[in-house]
């Protein structure tokens, strides 16, 4: 994938000099989305732009590889909520079918939804497809690894209310929804890596989601014996995150905020920030305030081994706010991490508020 190497630097300069305001986020996203869509041919628009309530294509889904972890999952209500992170068939416009101009505009759109750090993680995840292609060379029946096989999708008309957009492919699913004057919703937000750490070659030592792993382990290993008895919910880590697409099954479990020491609380907040601030910082800051407003309900749960290289899992949860991390596949070198908010995913609460406001004005 051909990325503008200067883009993160430009963003750094811009955010260093201009105040970030969450209510401007939707307008910035809309402006960037309009520029991208304006360059598309009719054929490309037919792939990239969907009606707000475009139907879910069950026929396409049936052609994709089955996902054992989501057999009990409910089907999405429409294409807009049809998210996943596996290498599968998708609807949308893939980067490989874009011109160079369109690629640049697509990356500019991606940058409006992410922080500098999040943007770097996202494009690095895409680039790992090239690493996987080398690692899996000669393997029969495997998925095709292609760093250009990431899809951009627009739902509704950018700048109208409501509208949404998605960037998705293997190990990446970023979903943004805008409605009314509120800051856009940014969940579900999934980042994964395979390999979790590149072991060989020119990029040896690369750990795109290393901070997410290290902070979780730092916290669990800082707990005393009594605290660990509460925090460690399973001796063996589950094979996958619980809250895969179509399933909202997890609950607040493990050790509660009030049972942590001050230094441990700070580590837990660093971990929360690491997830939230992968997305654009103005909106992430508003989301962090929501977490802090009901901090007493926050729980941290761990499963699996405590040392690097051992399969492990953790979850941070307070009601419908959930962060999940799992590293069990490929000898614990294959990471899945997600931020969900069951009240906020795909802007459910924003859409309700928008509809309520529209009806009240009639």
């Amino acid at each position: 994938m051909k990325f503008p190497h200067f883009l993160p630097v430009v963003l750094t300069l811009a955010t260093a000099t201009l105040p970030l305001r969450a209510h401007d986020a939707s307008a910035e996203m809309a402006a960037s989305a309009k520029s991208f869509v304006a360059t598309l041919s009719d054929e490309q628009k037919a792939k990239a732009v969907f009606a707000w309530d475009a139907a879910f294509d069950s026929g396409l889904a049936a052609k994709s590889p089955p996902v054992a972890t989501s057999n009990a999952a409910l089907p999405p209500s429409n294409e807009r909520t049809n998210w996943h992170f596996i290498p599968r068939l998708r609807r949308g416009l893939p980067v490989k079918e874009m011109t160079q101009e369109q690629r640049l505009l697509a990356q500019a759109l991606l940058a409006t939804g992410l922080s500098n750090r999040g943007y770097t993680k996202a494009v690095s995840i895409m680039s790992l497809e090239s690493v996987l292609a080398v690692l899996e060379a000669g393997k029969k029946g495997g998925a095709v690894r292609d760093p250009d096989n990431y899809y951009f999708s627009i739902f509704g008309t950018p700048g109208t209310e409501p509208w949404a957009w998605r960037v998705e492919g293997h190990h990446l699913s970023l979903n943004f929804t805008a409605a009314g004057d509120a800051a856009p919703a940014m969940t579900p937000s999934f980042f994964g890596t395979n390999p979790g750490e590149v072991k060989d070659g020119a990029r040896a030592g690369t750990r795109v989601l290393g901070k997410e792993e290290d902070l979780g382990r730092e916290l669990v290993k800082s707990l005393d014996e009594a605290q660990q008895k509460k925090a460690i919910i399973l001796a063996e880590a589950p094979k996958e995150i619980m809250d895969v697409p179509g399933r909202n099954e997890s609950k607040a479990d493990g050790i509660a905020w009030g049972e942590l020491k001050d230094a441990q609380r700070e580590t837990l907040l660093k971990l929360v920030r690491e997830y939230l601030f992968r997305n654009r910082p103005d909106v992430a800051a508003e989301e962090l305030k929501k977490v802090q407003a009901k901090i007493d309900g926050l729980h941290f749960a761990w499963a699996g081994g405590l040392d690097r290289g051992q399969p492990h899992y953790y979850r941070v949860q307070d009601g419908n706010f959930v962060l999940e991390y799992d590293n069990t596949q490929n000898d614990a070198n294959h990471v899945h991490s997600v931020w969900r908010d069951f009240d906020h995913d795909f802007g459910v609460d924003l859409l309700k508020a928008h509809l309520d406001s529209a009806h009240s004005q009639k």
Side-chain angles (χ1 to χ4, degrees):
M1 194 174 201
K2 302 173 184 176
F3 301 113
H5 68 276
F6 54 83
L7 186 51
V9 177
V10 172
L11 290 174
T12 301
L13 293 174
T15 54
T17 57
L18 296 175
L20 290 170
R21 298 181 295 179
H23 66 270
D24 291 337
S26 295
E28 292 172 9
M29 290 178 181
S32 188
K34 288 178 181 178
S35 293
F36 171 63
V37 171
T39 68
L40 303 181
S41 67
D42 290 343
E43 181 181 359
Q44 289 175 314
K45 286 180 182 177
K47 291 185 176 183
V49 182
F50 297 81
W52 170 255
D53 56 354
F56 165 59
D57 187 346
S58 57
L60 183 65
K63 298 176 184 178
S64 294
V67 187
T69 54
S70 60
N71 283 343
L74 295 174
S77 58
N78 52 41
E79 178 59 30
R80 185 172 55 84
T81 59
N82 177 26
W83 71 288
H84 221 301
F85 48 84
I86 63 171
R88 68 169 187 175
L89 298 175
R90 286 178 163 83
R91 297 173 72 187
L93 182 65
V95 173
K96 61 187 175 184
E97 295 182 10
M98 297 180 192
T99 66
Q100 183 61 25
E101 177 190 12
Q102 291 164 349
R103 290 175 182 231
L104 294 173
L105 291 171
Q107 297 314 307
L109 174 59
L110 176 61
T112 67
L114 301 176
S115 65
N116 293 342
R117 182 172 73 238
Y119 180 90
T120 300
K121 288 178 187 283
V123 296
S124 296
I125 287 168
M126 296 176 187
S127 75
L128 287 177
E129 293 296 281
S130 296
V131 175
L132 276 179
V134 173
L135 293 176
E136 297 176 348
K139 182 179 178 181
K140 292 184 179 180
V144 175
R145 305 302 183 182
D146 184 352
D148 281 350
N149 200 30
Y150 286 82
Y151 291 71
F152 283 71
S153 305
I154 309 289
F155 301 92
T157 303
T160 63
E161 300 175 354
W163 76 283
W165 59 286
R166 178 177 69 212
V167 179
E168 188 174 88
H170 183 217
H171 278 152
L172 193 69
S173 183
L174 307 174
N175 300 272
F176 303 90
T177 309
D181 296 329
M186 305 191 296
T187 59
S189 178
F190 182 96
F191 290 69
T193 56
N194 181 21
E197 178 181 358
V198 180
K199 297 296 182 69
D200 301 296
R203 298 179 64 184
T206 298
R207 299 171 67 219
V208 177
L209 299 178
K211 196 73 171 179
E212 289 84 344
E213 177 177 350
D214 294 345
L215 284 170
R217 181 175 292 107
E218 178 184 341
L219 178 54
V220 73
K221 296 189 81 166
S222 75
L223 304 177
D224 61 33
E225 184 177 357
Q227 289 175 313
Q228 284 192 356
K229 285 182 178 180
K230 293 181 178 180
I232 300 175
I233 57 174
L234 292 170
E236 183 177 346
K239 301 303 182 183
E240 181 59 280
I241 57 175
M242 295 181 66
D243 299 303
V244 293
R247 296 173 70 174
N248 305 342
E249 295 188 344
S250 64
K251 63 179 181 178
D253 206 350
I255 189 168
W257 173 265
E259 299 170 309
L260 298 174
K261 300 172 184 177
D262 287 347
Q264 294 165 345
R265 290 180 178 181
E266 181 54 35
T267 302
L268 180 53
L269 277 179
K270 285 181 182 178
L271 182 57
V272 171
R273 292 190 197 102
E274 187 64 30
Y275 279 73
L276 270 56
F277 283 85
R278 297 191 297 206
N279 288 44
R280 55 179 295 142
D282 47 355
V283 181
E286 296 300 316
E287 295 300 321
L288 181 61
K289 289 178 183 177
K290 295 178 185 177
V291 175
Q292 293 174 316
K294 51 180 183 177
I295 198 74
D296 289 340
L298 203 63
H299 285 68
F300 173 76
W302 181 276
L306 301 185
D307 296 322
R308 275 196 66 183
Q310 296 178 325
H312 58 285
Y313 164 96
Y314 67 74
R315 182 169 71 249
V316 178
Q317 186 161 4
D318 175 9
N320 288 334
F321 167 82
V322 186
L323 308 177
E324 270 195 290
Y325 172 101
D326 187 88
N327 188 354
T328 57
Q329 301 179 51
N330 302 96
D331 297 321
N333 195 30
H334 183 148
V335 178
H336 289 175
S337 73
V338 70
W339 166 24
R340 300 285 306 275
D341 188 326
F342 307 144
D343 285 335
H344 203 42
D345 283 354
F346 304 109
V348 170
D349 54 343
L350 296 182
L351 299 174
K352 183 180 184 302
H354 177 63
L355 288 173
D356 289 346
S357 175
H359 286 306
S360 67
Q361 293 174 9
K362 290 182 178 179

